[in-house]
Amino acid sequence: MGSQGGFGQSKEFLDLVKSIGESRSKAEEDRIVLREIETLKRRITEPDIPKRKMKEYIIRLVYIEMLGHDASFGYIHAVKMTHDDSLLLKRTGYLAVTLFLNEDHDLIILIVNTIQKDLKSDNFLVVSAALNAVCKLINEETIPAVLQQVVELLGHPKEAVRKKAVMALHRFYLRSPSSVNHLVTNFRKKLCDNDPGVMGATLCPLFDLIMIDVHSHKDLVGSFVSILKQVAERRLPRSYDYHQTPAPFIQIKLLKILALLGSGDKQSSEQMYTIIGDIMRRSDTTSNIGNAILYECICCVSSIHQSPKLFGAAADAIAKLLKSEVHNLRYMGIDALGRLIRISPEVAEQHQLAVIDCLEDPDDTLKRKTFELLYKMTKSSNVEVIVDRMIEYMISINDNHYKTEIASRCVELAEQFAPSNHWFIQTMNKVFQHAGDLVNPKVAHNLMRLIAEGFGENDDTADSQLRSSAVESYLRIMGEPKLPSTFLQVICWVLGEYGTADGKYSASYIGGKLCDVAEAHSSDDTVKAYAVTALMKVCSFEKAAGRKIDMLSECQSLIESLSASHSTDLQQRAYELKTILGLDGIAMENIMPLDASCEDIEIDKSLSFLNSYVQKSLEEGAKPYLSEHERAGKRNISNFRNHYHHDASTHSLRFEAYEVPKPVISARLPPTVSLIELAAVREQSYQREVHRSPSVGSLSDKASQELRLRLDGVQKKWGRPTYSSAASPSTSDSDSHMVNVTAKGKSLEPSSRRQPEVEIPEEKQKLAASLFGGTTSKSEKKQSGGGVSQIKGSKAPRHTADQTSQVRATMAVVHPPVDLLDFGEPSGTASSTVDPFKQLEGLVDTSQDGNVSKNLDLLSLYSDAASTSGQNQNEESSNLSHGSGNASNRTIKGPNLIDALGKDALVRQMGVTPATQNPNLFKDLLG
């Protein structure tokens, strides 16, 4: 035993404990513990460690964990030790695991199987160790795994096992009440267990159940009274005595339960009177545990149905507690007295001197408890004394939390039991002055309302005296330093409303005081705002009364400085004050009526005074007002879609997704076909199909819907003009229909269904500007020299079969889906396709570059190409196929191809340079 230190541990472990105890600083202690952690990490992983050594290592890990260091590297070894067959090692493992792990730890799953096996053990010590672990480690998810075994252990022959099983079920109830609701009857059965320990353990879950549902346990009152009587008569074994008091903790728990069951129930309470009186007489007041039982009896008496005899005994017991020299007993007496005065306030009169002694005691805890008692016993006759004492105590303490509590209680008592309004105002002034901004802002509004309303009777003289006294007190308080912001707001408001009401103080004097407040608190915008508004009221009242306003220079400088303030609120108030000073007396009286702060303001929510103006505006063509619901409905996408399907002639934006283009003809275009030729063929084919063939028109309608917007390579140009949604009045029906095709991408319509121009709402214009660059007016369209007039002047010759197939092939090209928000920003990768503009550069005559107009609209550059006659299509294709040298020598009817190509080069310089070969580029630009 000497070599083991006398405790079965090695000398090394005892030296560790000794060195930590003798360490002089936290840093030295941490160095010792960290060195021990490194030693344990090395030793605990060694093979073939003796069990006795492993047990010591686990205990040393527990010691390290208790000192606040991480010992998680050894948790798994503690779990392994719970599997050992040795009782000593198993209990050590369970002890370590319950200290190391919590119920949500990942290693819990490794212990559940061990617990299940140990709960079935024949050794009750092993079962007890497993039940201890159940109370600590089993969570809501693992309760079903062991619940049935724990219930079976309620009938175990060993009382220690039964007691721990009851405690485990109580733990399950606290974790998951629904999992053990069907087992509540087991607690009732164990209440009658032969062992007092099992019965005492059952009182805890029953107390929790009774707190939730009292009525379902009323039938147990007789049982609890019988048990309490047996305990009080010392029928329990002497081993349950504590300081010669029989089972005091069982008595306390039973008294708590009886207080719940007897509350408001006369019949149940009558069963308790006798035993409670016996316990109060038998209680040993010379020991703390005896006084604890006595205090619990007083609490029980104050909860159950009142019994005069018990109430008198409780009052006598409180008198003994209050006369004690021990502060703890006096504290208990004050608390117990606070419970009794809720039943009979007259009880406190018997203990006035004792309460005053506690109020003057230097023990701060006892003093606070006494103030709580005074707060409970306050009434109209003693409110002045109690509130004054509470304010004195509030001034003497520095604890802001408790000072806030005291201030709120003073305000509450003053509002509830104030003997006069004058006293209430004086009391509120003290609270605001000493509690500062800790007072609730609502208290300030209540104070201002009280001053404005007065006594609530038709006694104007008393109200005037009240307001005059308030003004005098505030003028006197204003000179004190460090006044809280909330209190200053009250002062400014009262001076503005009633500072000059009785004629005792002049407007200039009150105005000077208000300016002093604003200048003294230059960093508080709220106080300055109240001061400026109060100054405005003073000036208004003076001018409404016909008296001349003598504005002090300091007030004028304050107004000028606030007119340039960074605060818009202060600026507005300053400008309002300047404006009001320029009005006459009648207007001033209407704007700022005297003493009208409590008058109700009638608000016309319907704004009926504007009816005539609204009617006049509607007659002049103004749009009617739409409610928020109607406006929200107009913005709804589904409404736009329904509107489009029901009224196809209305030119509105389309919000449905584009359809995936489907191939019509699988033919491919020859690689030598020019993009300008494709655009021209497309425009001419549309003209011809509109004039001649309705069936072809329907095919074109379908094809135009299948076309998709291609913006590859197009430079982002926000707000650039595009075609308007309606045709020019001078165009023919066919031309107007084609404008609809090019501008909106919609299907061709018969001329008889053409509708007049529709005004585009502003919201739609903004959306169009964001997505497509905006809309243009008819005049802009005419000035741009668009393709409408040029197409009108050109003829629509008959197309050959080859040209028609080329057009259809163009329409049949399938492209991958394009992001509509892709405005052609450079992607950083070079295109492998041939740039069509590079193929056309050789056709431009450099001698004519100077004649190319610099002011042409973007879309007008391609309108010439679109009006090229169809009979020259083959010749142009042939020339472009053989090279650029012959193109300049050809005689072409219609617009000059060289000029068109020059315009193309100019467009390219403007930034519209395709990044890829896009045969739909011109088609998209033209519609």
Side-chain angles (χ1 to χ4, degrees):
M1 291 293 292
S3 61
Q4 297 295 325
F7 297 99
Q9 306 299 331
S10 65
K11 186 176 183 301
E12 183 180 2
F13 176 59
L14 297 179
D15 291 341
L16 170 67
V17 176
K18 182 179 179 181
S19 61
I20 291 176
E22 294 176 351
S23 59
R24 298 182 178 180
S25 64
K26 178 63 176 175
E28 183 180 355
E29 176 187 310
D30 291 342
R31 285 195 298 269
I32 297 172
V33 174
L34 292 176
R35 185 168 60 249
E36 178 67 15
I37 289 175
E38 295 300 325
T39 303
L40 289 176
K41 282 183 179 180
R42 184 177 65 255
R43 293 184 179 180
I44 206 168
T45 55
E46 295 176 355
D48 300 331
I49 301 177
K51 293 183 178 181
R52 184 179 59 82
K53 273 291 183 185
M54 180 58 72
K55 172 177 169 291
E56 181 181 322
Y57 292 158
I58 296 299
I59 295 175
R60 290 161 76 170
L61 287 174
V62 172
Y63 190 61
I64 291 172
E65 191 87 6
M66 290 169 60
L67 292 174
H69 294 264
D70 182 26
S72 58
F73 62 91
Y75 288 177
I76 188 63
H77 297 282
V79 173
K80 291 179 180 178
M81 186 168 287
T82 60
H83 305 331
D84 201 283
D85 295 332
S86 173
L87 176 61
L88 183 59
L89 296 179
K90 182 182 287 291
R91 296 181 67 179
T92 303
Y94 274 127
L95 174 63
V97 166
T98 54
L99 295 175
F100 288 156
L101 308 181
N102 56 61
E103 61 182 15
D104 297 323
H105 199 277
D106 296 336
L107 295 177
I108 293 296
I109 193 65
L110 301 178
I111 304 175
V112 174
N113 291 334
T114 305
I115 291 176
Q116 288 177 328
K117 184 184 70 172
D118 291 340
L119 289 177
K120 299 177 182 178
S121 176
D122 296 333
N123 190 337
F124 77 96
L125 296 176
V126 174
V127 177
S128 298
L131 287 172
N132 288 336
V134 164
C135 294
K136 293 286 186 179
L137 303 177
I138 296 300
N139 54 27
E140 185 175 355
E141 297 178 355
T142 53
I143 284 176
V146 298
L147 180 60
Q148 188 59 37
Q149 291 177 285
V150 173
V151 173
E152 294 175 357
L153 291 176
L154 291 174
H156 198 276
K158 285 292 183 179
E159 59 277 0
V161 175
R162 298 198 302 272
K163 177 180 177 181
K164 292 182 182 296
V166 171
M167 297 170 64
L169 287 178
H170 184 204
R171 184 68 171 179
F172 293 164
Y173 174 78
L174 297 177
R175 283 280 179 260
S176 177
S178 59
S179 62
V180 293
N181 278 339
H182 60 289
L183 302 175
V184 174
T185 56
N186 291 293
F187 294 134
R188 287 172 169 259
K189 294 177 181 178
K190 293 293 106 180
L191 190 61
C192 303
D193 196 280
N194 294 329
D195 184 74
V198 179
M199 179 271 299
T202 310
L203 295 177
C204 295
L206 286 175
F207 177 75
D208 292 339
L209 291 170
I210 293 172
M211 286 186 65
I212 297 175
D213 185 8
V214 176
H215 297 286
S216 61
H217 297 84
K218 290 284 187 179
D219 58 330
L220 293 178
V221 173
S223 301
F224 289 130
V225 170
S226 175
I227 295 172
L228 183 58
K229 184 178 181 180
Q230 296 180 44
V231 174
E233 293 175 355
R234 298 181 180 270
R235 297 185 184 181
L236 269 62
R238 296 293 298 272
S239 59
Y240 289 95
D241 289 357
Y242 178 78
H243 285 269
Q244 300 180 357
T245 302
F249 301 104
I250 294 179
Q251 291 190 52
I252 291 174
K253 183 62 70 174
L254 285 170
L255 288 171
K256 289 180 179 290
I257 293 174
L258 292 177
L260 293 174
L261 294 174
S263 178
D265 188 348
K266 182 178 180 180
Q267 183 178 0
S268 299
S269 300
E270 289 175 350
Q271 303 180 47
M272 312 172 189
Y273 292 158
T274 304
I275 185 61
I276 294 175
D278 292 343
I279 294 176
M280 293 180 69
R281 287 192 301 270
R282 294 178 182 181
S283 60
D284 183 12
T285 56
T286 59
S287 63
N288 287 333
I289 194 64
N291 288 315
I293 295 176
L294 180 61
Y295 169 78
E296 202 60 49
C297 289
I298 298 173
C299 294
C300 184
V301 169
S302 64
S303 298
I304 64 177
H305 189 271
Q306 185 178 357
S307 170
K309 185 177 180 180
L310 284 180
F311 194 85
D316 295 339
I318 289 175
K320 295 179 181 179
L321 293 174
L322 292 176
K323 293 178 182 178
S324 174
E325 298 295 333
V326 181
H327 283 171
N328 291 337
L329 298 181
R330 296 171 70 185
Y331 184 93
M332 290 171 55
I334 292 292
D335 185 79
L337 183 60
R339 295 175 182 270
L340 288 187
I341 63 174
R342 290 182 299 184
I343 302 173
S344 177
E346 293 78 12
V347 178
E349 297 178 359
Q350 306 173 12
H351 311 286
Q352 293 180 8
L353 297 179
V355 172
I356 296 300
D357 292 340
C358 294
L359 192 61
E360 297 175 352
D361 195 278
D363 189 344
D364 195 60
T365 304
L366 181 58
K367 187 179 294 186
R368 293 186 180 185
K369 197 66 179 179
T370 306
F371 275 117
E372 291 182 11
L373 173 64
L374 294 177
Y375 170 73
K376 295 177 182 178
M377 57 185 291
T378 303
K379 51 187 178 181
S380 300
S381 59
N382 60 5
V383 63
E384 298 182 35
V385 179
I386 292 177
V387 171
D388 289 343
R389 296 299 295 266
M390 294 175 72
I391 292 177
E392 291 178 5
Y393 179 68
M394 179 184 66
I395 297 173
S396 63
I397 61 177
N398 296 321
D399 185 359
N400 286 338
H401 176 73
Y402 195 65
K403 183 179 286 189
T404 304
E405 185 178 354
I406 289 289
S408 63
R409 288 180 176 178
C410 290
V411 171
E412 182 180 350
L413 294 178
E415 290 179 348
Q416 188 174 359
F417 302 105
S420 64
N421 288 347
H422 179 75
W423 178 86
F424 178 78
I425 293 174
Q426 299 300 325
T427 303
M428 290 298 99
N429 292 346
K430 293 179 183 179
V431 173
F432 277 118
Q433 190 173 356
H434 298 291
D437 295 326
L438 301 176
V439 183
N440 193 326
K442 292 183 180 180
V443 178
H445 295 287
N446 294 338
L447 177 59
M448 291 186 286
R449 184 186 62 203
L450 174 65
I451 296 175
E453 293 178 352
F455 290 96
E457 302 175 357
N458 297 326
D459 189 357
D460 296 337
T461 304
D463 294 343
S464 299
Q465 293 177 356
L466 171 67
R467 293 159 186 167
S468 299
S469 63
V471 170
E472 291 179 0
S473 62
Y474 290 151
L475 288 175
R476 183 174 60 254
I477 295 174
M478 287 177 66
E480 299 184 6
K482 296 182 179 181
L483 293 175
S485 175
T486 307
F487 191 33
L488 287 170
Q489 296 170 21
V490 176
I491 292 175
C492 291
W493 184 88
V494 172
L495 293 181
E497 286 284 344
Y498 309 107
T500 59
D502 57 355
K504 186 176 181 179
Y505 301 100
S506 64
S508 58
Y509 178 77
I510 299 296
K513 289 292 185 179
L514 293 172
C515 292
D516 293 341
V517 172
E519 292 175 358
H521 300 82
S522 57
S523 60
D524 194 337
D525 289 346
T526 306
V527 173
K528 289 193 292 184
Y530 269 82
V532 173
T533 302
L535 184 61
M536 185 190 308
K537 293 178 182 178
V538 172
C539 296
S540 300
F541 298 155
E542 287 294 303
K543 199 162 189 178
R547 293 188 289 268
K548 184 179 178 181
I549 301 176
D550 295 330
M551 186 69 69
L552 299 178
S553 58
E554 56 183 4
C555 295
Q556 294 178 356
S557 61
L558 174 65
I559 296 172
E560 293 297 332
S561 62
L562 294 181
S563 300
S565 174
H566 293 289
S567 172
T568 57
D569 178 59
L570 293 178
Q571 278 191 20
Q572 178 179 349
R573 293 172 188 263
Y575 281 115
E576 287 176 355
L577 176 55
K578 289 181 179 180
T579 305
I580 287 177
L581 291 176
L583 300 177
D584 56 8
I586 298 176
M588 197 78 72
E589 186 176 358
N590 293 329
I591 295 174
M592 290 286 185
L594 182 64
D595 193 17
S597 57
C598 294
E599 294 182 1
D600 296 332
I601 300 176
E602 297 181 359
I603 300 176
D604 186 5
K605 296 183 179 179
S606 62
L607 304 179
S608 58
F609 60 91
L610 293 176
N611 289 341
S612 60
Y613 173 78
V614 172
Q615 185 63 29
K616 182 179 178 180
S617 300
L618 291 175
E619 293 175 357
E620 294 176 355
K623 294 183 179 180
Y625 171 76
L626 297 178
S627 64
E628 183 178 0
H629 177 71
E630 293 172 338
R631 292 196 301 271
K634 277 204 165 190
R635 290 193 295 267
N636 197 322
I637 293 178
S638 62
N639 290 351
F640 280 112
R641 183 181 294 114
N642 296 336
H643 178 71
Y644 173 79
H645 287 299
H646 285 88
D647 191 5
S649 62
T650 303
H651 303 297
S652 59
L653 293 175
R654 297 176 60 183
F655 289 90
E656 65 270 14
Y658 290 124
E659 298 178 358
V660 179
K662 301 178 181 179
V664 180
I665 301 176
S666 60
R668 294 182 178 273
L669 289 176
T672 58
V673 177
S674 170
L675 295 176
I676 298 180
E677 291 180 317
L678 293 177
V681 170
R682 177 178 179 272
E683 294 298 331
Q684 294 165 4
S685 63
Y686 276 155
Q687 272 192 334
R688 179 182 178 188
E689 289 163 356
V690 168
H691 284 288
R692 298 189 179 184
S693 176
S695 60
V696 177
S698 61
L699 177 62
S700 176
D701 181 12
K702 181 180 179 180
S704 64
Q705 292 182 0
E706 293 175 349
L707 295 178
R708 302 185 62 187
L709 180 64
R710 295 284 301 206
L711 295 175
D712 294 346
V714 179
Q715 186 177 0
K716 179 178 178 181
K717 298 289 186 181
W718 295 104
R720 290 191 63 84
T722 61
Y723 286 129
S724 62
S725 59
S728 174
S730 61
T731 57
S732 61
D733 291 343
S734 60
D735 297 334
S736 176
H737 298 324
M738 196 173 75
V739 170
N740 290 335
V741 174
T742 60
K744 292 293 181 180
K746 291 187 178 181
S747 59
L748 297 173
E749 302 171 351
S751 59
S752 61
R753 297 177 57 188
R754 186 172 54 133
Q755 299 291 335
E757 180 179 0
V758 179
E759 183 180 356
I760 302 177
E762 184 179 358
E763 293 181 0
K764 295 184 180 180
Q765 291 180 4
K766 292 181 180 179
L767 180 61
S770 301
L771 296 179
F772 308 108
T775 58
T776 59
S777 62
K778 248 192 295 188
S779 59
E780 292 173 346
K781 174 180 171 183
K782 290 181 179 180
Q783 294 174 2
S784 64
V788 177
S789 60
Q790 297 180 10
I791 293 174
K792 179 182 178 181
S794 61
K795 297 180 180 180
R798 186 184 302 275
H799 298 303
T800 61
D802 295 338
Q803 291 172 335
T804 304
S805 64
Q806 290 177 1
V807 175
R808 293 180 177 178
T810 303
M811 299 164 60
V813 176
V814 180
H815 300 284
V818 180
D819 187 2
L820 291 180
L821 298 179
D822 181 10
F823 289 95
E825 285 81 5
S827 59
T829 57
S831 177
S832 60
T833 58
V834 180
D835 190 348
F837 287 99
K838 292 185 179 293
Q839 297 178 354
L840 303 178
E841 283 181 352
L843 299 179
V844 180
D845 188 358
T846 57
S847 64
Q848 299 178 0
D849 288 345
N851 299 327
V852 178
S853 175
K854 303 296 184 180
N855 299 323
L856 293 177
D857 188 82
L858 175 62
L859 296 179
S860 66
L861 298 175
Y862 301 100
S863 59
D864 293 334
S867 61
T868 306
S869 59
Q871 61 214 22
N872 296 327
Q873 187 80 24
N874 295 334
E875 296 178 1
E876 293 170 0
S877 300
S878 176
N879 292 335
L880 292 175
S881 301
H882 290 85
S884 62
N886 298 331
S888 60
N889 298 327
R890 301 283 297 178
T891 301
I892 303 175
K893 295 181 181 181
N896 190 352
L897 183 60
I898 302 299
D899 294 339
L901 294 176
K903 296 176 183 178
D904 298 337
L906 178 60
V907 171
R908 187 181 175 203
Q909 294 176 3
M910 293 170 63
V912 187
T913 304
T916 60
Q917 185 175 359
N918 184 8
N920 288 335
L921 176 62
F922 294 89
K923 164 170 63 60
D924 291 334
L925 290 174
L926 292 172

